[in-house]
Every structure is written in C-alpha cells, then in structure tokens.
Amino acid sequence: VALVALPLGASYFFGSKAEQVHQAFAKQFSAQGTATLKETEFSKGLLKSSARDVVEVCSAASGCRELVISSVIYHGPIAIAGLIDGVAPLRPLQAMMISRIKLDGLFAGTEIKPAVPEMMVTTLAELDGSTRATLDMPASTHTITGKPGKIALVLGGVTGEFTGTAGSDQQVGEVKLASMKLTDESGMTVSLNNVVAQVDGRVTDAGFIGTLREKVGSLTVATAADDPQPFALKDLNITLKGSRTSDGLSQSQFTGGIKVITAAGRDYGPAQLEGEVLRFNRAALTRMQKQLEKLEAQKKPAEEMLPAMMDIYQKGIPEALGSRPEFNLKSLNLKTPDGEVVSSLKLVGVPPQGELNLGSWPTMLQAELSLQIPAVTLWNILDAQLQQEAHKVAAASGQPVVMPGQDAIAAKVDELVKNKVFVPKLDANAYRLEMALLEGRLLLNGQENQAFAGLVQAFGAQPAVASPNMEVAPPTP
C-alpha cells in the first residue's frame, strides 16, 4: 500500500507544479500587446490535469480573432499517466504539458478547406526549474474562398523550440516556417521559403526587451503564372535590440540587409539598413486599442459610435504622441550595377496643439526623406513602369503591346525634374530628392509644395511647434 500510495501522493503534490506550468504558459499570451487571455480554465486531477484557454488576437486590419488552446498536464516526479499514454519520458520532472492550439479562429469569416491543422506545443518543466517547449505543425494544403475569389495556400511545416527558467519571463528560442505559397485565380503568386525567427528576451508593458532576429531565405512575387520577370528577395535578415528607458518608454535599434534583389529582370544588392525607434509609448497605444475594442464590442449605432470613438482619440493620441516618438531609418544603401542608391528617412510624431480635429493631422507628423539614385537606375525603373502600363493597355484593348521608346522614358524623366521631384546631381551622375514635412508644410528640394499648402489651409490646420532636431532641407544647388 505504501509503495502504491507514495508515487500517487507525490504525483498529486506535483499537481501544484503542473498548475504553475500552465499559469506561466498562459501568462506568455497575456503579456503580448495584440493578444489577450480572454478565458482560462484549469481542472486538477490525481495523475494529470487539464486546461482550456481562449486567447484573443486583435489587429487594426482584421479586428479580433480567437485561438482555443486545449492542454493536458502530466504530473511529476514521474509522469505515470504520460507513460501510460506513451508521450512522457522515463525520467524525473516537475510536469509535462501537451497543448493543442486550434488556428481556425484566425480565419473567422473566411472559408478555408480543409481546416488548418492544429499546432502542438510540448512543454517539459524540469526539476531544476528550467523549461523547454517544442512546437510542431505539419505541412498542409488549403483553398481559401473570399470576396477576391479562390486562393490556393500551401504551408510547409512549422517547428520551433523555446527554453526558459521558472519565475522569469525571459525566453530563448526560434520558430521555423519551411515555406508558404499563395496563388490566386489570375496566377499571381507570393512565395516565402526558410523563414526563421529567433528571440532572446521578454515582452513587457513598455515593449520587447532583448534581441530579436528574423531571416527569410527567399521571397518571390510573380504577377502571373508566366511572369518572365518576377520580383524576388534573397537572404533577407533583420536584427532588433529592444530596451526600456528610465521613464518607461520603449526604444530599439535595428540593422539588416538583403543579399540580392531581383526586379525587372535585373539583380541589385547587397542592401544594408540601420535605424532606431525612440520614445515609443507602447502602454498608451495599448490602452487606446483596448478602449476601441470594447467600444466596437458594444455594437452601438453610428451616431453614437463616432462621438465615442473621437473621445477616445482626443485623450489617447495626445498621450501617445506626447513623448514625440521617432522612427529613424538612418541609412538604407543599395548597390546597383550603375552605382549606389543612398537614402534615409526620419519620422517624428507631434502631439496636437489644442483640440484634435481634421486640421490637426497634417501637423502631427514631421518627416525628412533623402534619396539619391543613379541616373541609369532611375531610367530602368521608369522603363519597367512604362512597360507594365503598355501591357495593361494592350490587355484592355486587345491590341498588340507597344513598348515604350527612349523618347518616352526621357520625357518621363524631364517631367519629374520639371515638377521638382528630382534634381540632377551632375557630379555623381545621379538624381536627388530631398523632402521635408514640417509644421504642416511640404517641401520638395527646398521649395514648398503649393498643392499641399492649399490642402492644409482648407482643413484649417494650426502650425505645430517645431522639434529642435528637425531641419528644413536647403535648396539643392
């Protein structure tokens, strides 16, 4: 009796450890900015426990969707029930949890056949407090039916592994997607291969803290089944390092590159980029998003919904922009056979002066864009655009394709120069664009764009207070 009671009693005691494993698992979802743990249930047993969680994932584009996660937690120190089920290892551990995530909810409102397979997550909680979770989802093929028509979806398998420590939100691991291919009825295809996401960090109220790396082996976009010149990227990678400021704001630095870019039948690259995100008030944006979600769930009539929504914006946007969040793409350099494309972009959010209205929007963003492009590269881009237009005209009219001549391309370049979009930079055999959006004024190569000025005046925008770090681009000689 003692020999039987001892392991059973120990297993029941370790049920509390099993519950802790489940709580840590659920906490990972509640920490995400776009995901919320909506429901959670835990039923404790003698040798194993069960749990059911509903996670709500929200986005501005598709609204809110639900994921249902069903879990079985086998108790340690020897997972007897897991051994009987043939899934647990024969060694001491605190608990073992097998979770099945139903992804159907992400496609709510869209017909997808057959259903997307479940993702299985197996979590081992070791005696020393360490955890290891493995992810697995088999390859599958589907047909998606929606307003645009039918789309064929082919998914490669998903695998992953994460490790952590009890009492810590820090996660280290990676997820791999072997491939994904989307094809619509016109033959347009988007293909992804060898996608890898690696993480070493944690998600907090202020944002992600740690290091995140993303890699894509290849991305290909073909406009038709017989597209002779598909657009393609090879060996894309980006690394982001996030941290938190002393006043609770989020900041991050990112670097990345692309080995080869294929466009219009030509190869470009490599490309390198470097930038940073500063003073980002993630907590304020999350609060505003949740308020909007609650408002939407109330299903009020439009005459009540719009004033309530504006009231949320009136309070939320000034708070989110009060820290003057900044996105600064310091440099983006792309090598071409004709020279180097050099560009930079800086965006700064500005809190509205006074009450938020239509006139406030043009003054709530300050921007600086600098672009230098080799003359031959600009010529080739315009040539490709004119060729696409010629094919569209021929398809619509049923007439043979009339390819653009040199005169047509030259006329397009002259038009851009005449409209001050580009300025010739003769010493580099290139064209340059300097654009600045400041205090509700749009300047192209140092000259104010009158059409934009008239639009701002029509909305009655009030000038914004200029940031000391923003400078108006001087006229190009």
Side-chain angles (χ1 to χ4, degrees):
V1 173
L3 290 175
V4 173
L6 183 61
L8 292 179
S11 180
Y12 186 79
F13 169 77
F14 271 74
S16 60
K17 298 294 183 183
E19 189 169 4
Q20 292 174 12
V21 171
H22 169 255
Q23 289 175 349
F25 180 77
K27 186 179 179 181
Q28 290 297 322
F29 287 101
S30 60
Q32 308 303 313
T34 57
T36 305
L37 187 62
K38 189 176 180 180
E39 299 176 18
T40 183
E41 299 175 4
F42 184 85
S43 178
K44 185 178 178 181
L46 180 62
L47 298 177
K48 64 181 180 181
S49 301
S50 61
R52 183 181 181 275
D53 301 291
V54 178
V55 177
E56 189 175 58
V57 182
C58 298
S59 69
S62 58
C64 295
R65 301 286 187 265
E66 289 186 354
L67 294 176
V68 178
I69 306 173
S70 301
S71 303
V72 176
I73 307 98
Y74 298 99
H75 305 177
I78 299 296
I80 301 173
L83 292 172
I84 295 173
D85 292 344
V87 295
L90 183 58
R91 59 180 175 81
L93 45 74
Q94 288 190 17
M96 175 182 180
M97 181 168 70
I98 297 179
S99 304
R100 297 181 181 274
I101 304 177
K102 295 188 66 174
L103 301 175
D104 298 18
L106 293 180
F107 302 92
T110 302
E111 182 183 351
I112 178 168
K113 293 183 178 180
V116 177
E118 294 179 333
M119 178 178 289
M120 181 179 291
V121 182
T122 302
T123 305
L124 293 176
E126 306 293 349
L127 293 178
D128 62 0
S130 63
T131 60
R132 181 170 64 90
T134 56
L135 286 70
D136 183 69
M137 189 175 83
S140 58
T141 301
H142 312 273
T143 299
I144 302 174
T145 304
K147 291 182 180 179
K150 292 186 177 181
I151 298 176
L153 170 63
V154 181
L155 290 172
V158 177
T159 58
E161 181 173 310
F162 290 87
T163 59
T165 305
S168 173
D169 296 332
Q170 192 85 2
Q171 290 288 316
V172 180
E174 68 176 21
V175 177
K176 296 180 180 179
L177 170 64
S179 62
M180 182 177 72
K181 184 177 181 180
L182 290 163
T183 306
D184 68 9
E185 292 177 313
S186 70
M188 181 176 178
T189 301
V190 179
S191 301
L192 278 169
N193 289 286
N194 299 324
V195 181
V196 180
Q198 299 173 325
V199 63
D200 183 358
R202 67 186 191 277
V203 177
T204 68
D205 291 339
F208 177 75
I209 297 177
T211 302
L212 178 66
R213 294 182 177 90
E214 304 241 0
K215 301 177 183 179
V216 178
S218 66
L219 165 65
T220 305
V221 180
T223 57
D226 57 349
D227 187 354
Q229 296 180 340
F231 174 80
L233 303 177
K234 292 183 180 179
D235 294 336
L236 181 152
N237 69 85
I238 188 166
T239 299
L240 181 144
K241 295 185 177 181
S243 58
R244 179 177 179 174
T245 63
S246 58
D247 51 356
L249 300 177
S250 173
Q251 61 184 13
S252 59
Q253 288 74 42
F254 58 88
T255 58
I258 303 171
K259 187 175 181 180
V260 180
I261 301 175
T262 302
R266 305 188 78 202
D267 288 342
Y268 303 89
Q272 298 292 330
L273 64 88
E274 178 185 1
E276 60 186 2
V277 178
L278 303 174
R279 305 181 300 278
F280 185 70
N281 193 338
R282 181 177 181 271
L285 286 176
T286 301
R287 281 194 295 271
M288 186 167 61
Q289 178 184 342
K290 290 183 177 180
Q291 289 173 353
L292 290 171
E293 290 168 6
K294 290 181 179 178
L295 178 63
E296 184 180 0
Q298 295 175 13
K299 305 295 183 182
K300 293 183 177 180
E303 60 270 18
E304 297 181 23
M305 182 75 74
L306 290 177
M309 187 180 299
M310 282 304 301
D311 185 59
I312 294 174
Y313 284 140
Q314 288 281 2
K315 299 175 183 177
I317 290 180
E319 181 185 7
L321 297 182
S323 58
R324 289 183 172 269
E326 177 181 322
F327 172 84
N328 187 2
L329 180 59
K330 296 180 179 179
S331 65
L332 173 58
N333 300 337
L334 170 65
K335 290 186 178 180
T336 78
D338 317 305
E340 191 170 19
V341 177
V342 181
S343 62
S344 63
L345 173 65
K346 184 176 182 180
L347 304 173
V348 178
V350 181
Q353 304 298 308
E355 186 177 355
L356 183 67
N357 51 47
L358 285 176
S360 306
W361 294 104
T363 65
M364 288 164 53
L365 176 67
Q366 295 179 354
E368 288 180 304
L369 170 67
S370 175
L371 172 66
Q372 180 174 303
I373 182 171
V376 177
T377 302
L378 177 61
W379 187 282
N380 290 331
I381 292 174
L382 295 175
D383 184 17
Q385 290 179 347
L386 291 173
Q387 286 187 35
Q388 288 182 353
E389 292 175 5
H391 281 283
K392 290 180 180 179
V393 171
S397 63
Q399 300 296 319
V401 179
V402 179
M403 301 303 290
Q406 301 295 307
D407 292 343
I409 303 172
K412 196 72 174 178
V413 174
D414 291 342
E415 180 184 350
L416 292 172
V417 173
K418 181 181 179 180
N419 293 329
K420 306 298 182 183
V421 176
F422 282 105
V423 173
K425 189 172 174 51
L426 301 179
D427 59 335
N429 191 25
Y431 290 89
R432 189 168 183 85
L433 166 65
E434 297 284 351
M435 185 185 79
L437 179 61
L438 181 65
E439 299 182 19
R441 300 168 62 212
L442 177 64
L443 295 100
L444 291 175
N445 298 309
Q447 297 188 13
E448 184 171 3
N449 184 280
Q450 296 303 319
F452 185 82
L455 181 64
V456 171
Q457 188 175 9
F459 281 118
Q462 298 296 320
V465 178
S467 167
N469 295 325
M470 297 292 290
E471 299 177 358
V472 177
T476 305

mmCIF file of all heavy atoms in Angstrom, residues 355-371:
data_model
loop_
_atom_site.group_PDB
_atom_site.id
_atom_site.type_symbol
_atom_site.label_atom_id
_atom_site.label_comp_id
_atom_site.label_asym_id
_atom_site.label_seq_id
_atom_site.Cartn_x
_atom_site.Cartn_y
_atom_site.Cartn_z
ATOM 1 N N GLU A 355 -7.401 71.146 -29.512
ATOM 2 C CA GLU A 355 -8.340 70.060 -29.748
ATOM 3 C C GLU A 355 -8.004 69.306 -31.028
ATOM 4 O O GLU A 355 -7.625 69.894 -32.039
ATOM 5 C CB GLU A 355 -9.767 70.610 -29.817
ATOM 6 C CG GLU A 355 -10.834 69.531 -29.920
ATOM 7 C CD GLU A 355 -12.232 70.111 -29.920
ATOM 8 O OE1 GLU A 355 -12.354 71.343 -29.735
ATOM 9 O OE2 GLU A 355 -13.193 69.343 -30.097
ATOM 10 N N LEU A 356 -8.155 67.996 -30.975
ATOM 11 C CA LEU A 356 -7.885 67.156 -32.138
ATOM 12 C C LEU A 356 -9.007 67.294 -33.154
ATOM 13 O O LEU A 356 -10.173 67.108 -32.842
ATOM 14 C CB LEU A 356 -7.752 65.699 -31.692
ATOM 15 C CG LEU A 356 -7.401 64.674 -32.766
ATOM 16 C CD1 LEU A 356 -6.003 64.907 -33.296
ATOM 17 C CD2 LEU A 356 -7.510 63.261 -32.197
ATOM 18 N N ASN A 357 -8.651 67.648 -34.402
ATOM 19 C CA ASN A 357 -9.628 67.755 -35.480
ATOM 20 C C ASN A 357 -8.935 67.460 -36.805
ATOM 21 O O ASN A 357 -7.740 67.121 -36.828
ATOM 22 C CB ASN A 357 -10.284 69.139 -35.497
ATOM 23 C CG ASN A 357 -9.241 70.261 -35.487
ATOM 24 O OD1 ASN A 357 -8.270 70.215 -36.254
ATOM 25 N ND2 ASN A 357 -9.438 71.249 -34.629
ATOM 26 N N LEU A 358 -9.671 67.592 -37.903
ATOM 27 C CA LEU A 358 -9.088 67.287 -39.207
ATOM 28 C C LEU A 358 -7.870 68.157 -39.493
ATOM 29 O O LEU A 358 -6.910 67.723 -40.127
ATOM 30 C CB LEU A 358 -10.135 67.483 -40.306
ATOM 31 C CG LEU A 358 -11.214 66.396 -40.429
ATOM 32 C CD1 LEU A 358 -12.223 66.782 -41.496
ATOM 33 C CD2 LEU A 358 -10.576 65.049 -40.747
ATOM 34 N N GLY A 359 -7.914 69.390 -39.047
ATOM 35 C CA GLY A 359 -6.788 70.293 -39.292
ATOM 36 C C GLY A 359 -5.539 69.934 -38.525
ATOM 37 O O GLY A 359 -4.452 70.419 -38.840
ATOM 38 N N SER A 360 -5.679 69.068 -37.502
ATOM 39 C CA SER A 360 -4.511 68.690 -36.699
ATOM 40 C C SER A 360 -3.627 67.675 -37.403
ATOM 41 O O SER A 360 -2.414 67.629 -37.180
ATOM 42 C CB SER A 360 -4.957 68.117 -35.351
ATOM 43 O OG SER A 360 -5.811 68.991 -34.668
ATOM 44 N N TRP A 361 -4.222 66.825 -38.254
ATOM 45 C CA TRP A 361 -3.486 65.687 -38.790
ATOM 46 C C TRP A 361 -2.234 66.083 -39.580
ATOM 47 O O TRP A 361 -1.184 65.460 -39.406
ATOM 48 C CB TRP A 361 -4.416 64.822 -39.644
ATOM 49 C CG TRP A 361 -5.499 64.173 -38.840
ATOM 50 C CD1 TRP A 361 -6.809 64.544 -38.777
ATOM 51 C CD2 TRP A 361 -5.356 63.077 -37.929
ATOM 52 N NE1 TRP A 361 -7.503 63.737 -37.902
ATOM 53 C CE2 TRP A 361 -6.641 62.831 -37.368
ATOM 54 C CE3 TRP A 361 -4.294 62.280 -37.538
ATOM 55 C CZ2 TRP A 361 -6.873 61.811 -36.438
ATOM 56 C CZ3 TRP A 361 -4.522 61.266 -36.611
ATOM 57 C CH2 TRP A 361 -5.787 61.047 -36.080
ATOM 58 N N PRO A 362 -2.274 67.109 -40.466
ATOM 59 C CA PRO A 362 -1.051 67.420 -41.216
ATOM 60 C C PRO A 362 0.101 67.901 -40.344
ATOM 61 O O PRO A 362 1.254 67.871 -40.771
ATOM 62 C CB PRO A 362 -1.509 68.536 -42.183
ATOM 63 C CG PRO A 362 -2.996 68.391 -42.269
ATOM 64 C CD PRO A 362 -3.416 67.917 -40.922
ATOM 65 N N THR A 363 -0.195 68.367 -39.141
ATOM 66 C CA THR A 363 0.861 68.896 -38.277
ATOM 67 C C THR A 363 1.330 67.890 -37.228
ATOM 68 O O THR A 363 2.209 68.202 -36.433
ATOM 69 C CB THR A 363 0.359 70.164 -37.558
ATOM 70 O OG1 THR A 363 -0.726 69.806 -36.679
ATOM 71 C CG2 THR A 363 -0.122 71.196 -38.557
ATOM 72 N N MET A 364 0.729 66.690 -37.202
ATOM 73 C CA MET A 364 1.074 65.706 -36.181
ATOM 74 C C MET A 364 2.197 64.773 -36.619
ATOM 75 O O MET A 364 2.533 63.833 -35.918
ATOM 76 C CB MET A 364 -0.168 64.886 -35.794
ATOM 77 C CG MET A 364 -1.160 65.696 -34.965
ATOM 78 S SD MET A 364 -2.810 64.953 -34.875
ATOM 79 C CE MET A 364 -2.436 63.309 -34.304
ATOM 80 N N LEU A 365 2.757 65.047 -37.785
ATOM 81 C CA LEU A 365 3.870 64.235 -38.273
ATOM 82 C C LEU A 365 4.917 65.146 -38.886
ATOM 83 O O LEU A 365 4.617 65.986 -39.736
ATOM 84 C CB LEU A 365 3.393 63.227 -39.326
ATOM 85 C CG LEU A 365 4.498 62.386 -39.991
ATOM 86 C CD1 LEU A 365 5.120 61.433 -38.970
ATOM 87 C CD2 LEU A 365 3.953 61.621 -41.183
ATOM 88 N N GLN A 366 6.149 64.993 -38.439
ATOM 89 C CA GLN A 366 7.291 65.647 -39.064
ATOM 90 C C GLN A 366 8.103 64.571 -39.770
ATOM 91 O O GLN A 366 8.283 63.475 -39.244
ATOM 92 C CB GLN A 366 8.146 66.362 -38.022
ATOM 93 C CG GLN A 366 7.415 67.521 -37.335
ATOM 94 C CD GLN A 366 8.279 68.207 -36.292
ATOM 95 O OE1 GLN A 366 9.373 67.760 -35.991
ATOM 96 N NE2 GLN A 366 7.783 69.290 -35.732
ATOM 97 N N ALA A 367 8.561 64.880 -40.955
ATOM 98 C CA ALA A 367 9.261 63.861 -41.749
ATOM 99 C C ALA A 367 10.399 64.482 -42.530
ATOM 100 O O ALA A 367 10.325 65.645 -42.958
ATOM 101 C CB ALA A 367 8.279 63.180 -42.710
ATOM 102 N N GLU A 368 11.435 63.703 -42.714
ATOM 103 C CA GLU A 368 12.558 64.068 -43.576
ATOM 104 C C GLU A 368 12.930 62.842 -44.410
ATOM 105 O O GLU A 368 13.147 61.759 -43.862
ATOM 106 C CB GLU A 368 13.774 64.496 -42.758
ATOM 107 C CG GLU A 368 13.630 65.850 -42.094
ATOM 108 C CD GLU A 368 14.879 66.210 -41.303
ATOM 109 O OE1 GLU A 368 15.256 65.413 -40.435
ATOM 110 O OE2 GLU A 368 15.468 67.269 -41.566
ATOM 111 N N LEU A 369 12.982 63.021 -45.706
ATOM 112 C CA LEU A 369 13.370 61.947 -46.624
ATOM 113 C C LEU A 369 14.476 62.439 -47.522
ATOM 114 O O LEU A 369 14.381 63.535 -48.101
ATOM 115 C CB LEU A 369 12.170 61.503 -47.472
ATOM 116 C CG LEU A 369 12.487 60.560 -48.649
ATOM 117 C CD1 LEU A 369 12.970 59.211 -48.133
ATOM 118 C CD2 LEU A 369 11.284 60.393 -49.561
ATOM 119 N N SER A 370 15.511 61.635 -47.645
ATOM 120 C CA SER A 370 16.623 61.940 -48.549
ATOM 121 C C SER A 370 16.861 60.725 -49.435
ATOM 122 O O SER A 370 16.937 59.595 -48.936
ATOM 123 C CB SER A 370 17.891 62.278 -47.758
ATOM 124 O OG SER A 370 18.987 62.463 -48.643
ATOM 125 N N LEU A 371 16.967 60.948 -50.736
ATOM 126 C CA LEU A 371 17.160 59.846 -51.674
ATOM 127 C C LEU A 371 18.075 60.292 -52.806
ATOM 128 O O LEU A 371 17.848 61.340 -53.409
ATOM 129 C CB LEU A 371 15.815 59.388 -52.257
ATOM 130 C CG LEU A 371 15.869 58.360 -53.393
ATOM 131 C CD1 LEU A 371 16.417 57.039 -52.890
ATOM 132 C CD2 LEU A 371 14.481 58.166 -54.016
#
